[in-house]
Amino acid sequence: MKLKTVAIAAAALALAVGMTACGGAASTAASSTASSAAASSEAASSEVVSSEAEATSAEYTVYNTTGSKVTELYLYDAGSEDKGENLAGEGLADGESIVITRDVEADKQDDVVYVLEFTTEDGNTQSFDTLHYEVAPISLKSVDAAAGATAIAFEAPQK
């Protein structure tokens, strides 16, 4: 994509130079138009490069609202056997939160599906297995509160 944009800019510049060499008012207008096209093309190229450089990170602010300490917390690719490191570290006390970020190439972000799994100090393990690449607050629920559809809620706790 970047190479194509640069090639278009080079062609427009070559056209502008060729038209200028012919002289006359018509060639000046054509040169001006070609220069504008080259500038627009160069700007588009810069936008593509900067948008690739500014690929968004997924960011999950995970709040422990289970009523007990979370001893294990994992965020891993759906279907993976490897859960990675325990993000709860020494434990995440009730009421505490942690921010988890992930970076994936921009063209692959739509295909990402994560599993968010957690275990509380009383041994209850719950998971949410269709978490997508996004920025979202997530409140972990207790087993009793999770008796509904999911073990998490996409909201920050009310203060």
Side-chain angles (χ1 to χ4, degrees):
M1 177 86 174
K2 180 177 164 184
L3 188 57
K4 181 180 175 184
T5 306
V6 171
I8 292 170
L13 187 57
L15 179 63
V17 170
M19 296 300 274
T20 303
C22 294
S27 68
T28 302
S31 175
S32 176
T33 302
S35 294
S36 294
S40 295
S41 180
E42 198 61 38
S45 174
S46 295
E47 286 179 29
V48 168
V49 170
S50 68
S51 69
E52 288 175 358
E54 296 175 17
T56 58
S57 295
E59 182 177 285
Y60 310 96
T61 304
V62 179
Y63 300 92
N64 179 3
T65 60
T66 63
S68 60
K69 184 178 184 178
V70 171
T71 56
E72 295 180 40
L73 176 64
Y74 301 97
L75 180 67
Y76 57 95
D77 291 327
S80 175
E81 294 291 322
D82 182 17
K83 294 180 183 181
E85 73 175 283
N86 179 0
L87 301 171
E90 297 295 316
L92 188 64
D94 185 47
E96 289 185 339
S97 64
I98 183 173
V99 176
I100 304 169
T101 59
R102 293 288 188 264
D103 292 305
V104 174
E105 295 174 21
D107 61 336
K108 297 179 182 173
Q109 292 175 0
D110 290 340
D111 299 326
V112 172
V113 178
Y114 292 123
V115 174
L116 180 70
E117 182 178 308
F118 64 96
T119 302
T120 57
E121 65 186 341
D122 53 5
N124 291 314
T125 299
Q126 299 185 83
S127 65
F128 183 79
D129 58 358
T130 57
L131 188 60
H132 293 278
Y133 196 87
E134 59 191 313
V135 174
I138 299 173
S139 291
L140 305 178
K141 296 179 180 179
S142 68
V143 172
D144 292 336
T150 66
I152 66 172
F154 288 100
E155 60 186 27
Q158 300 295 322
K159 294 186 180 199

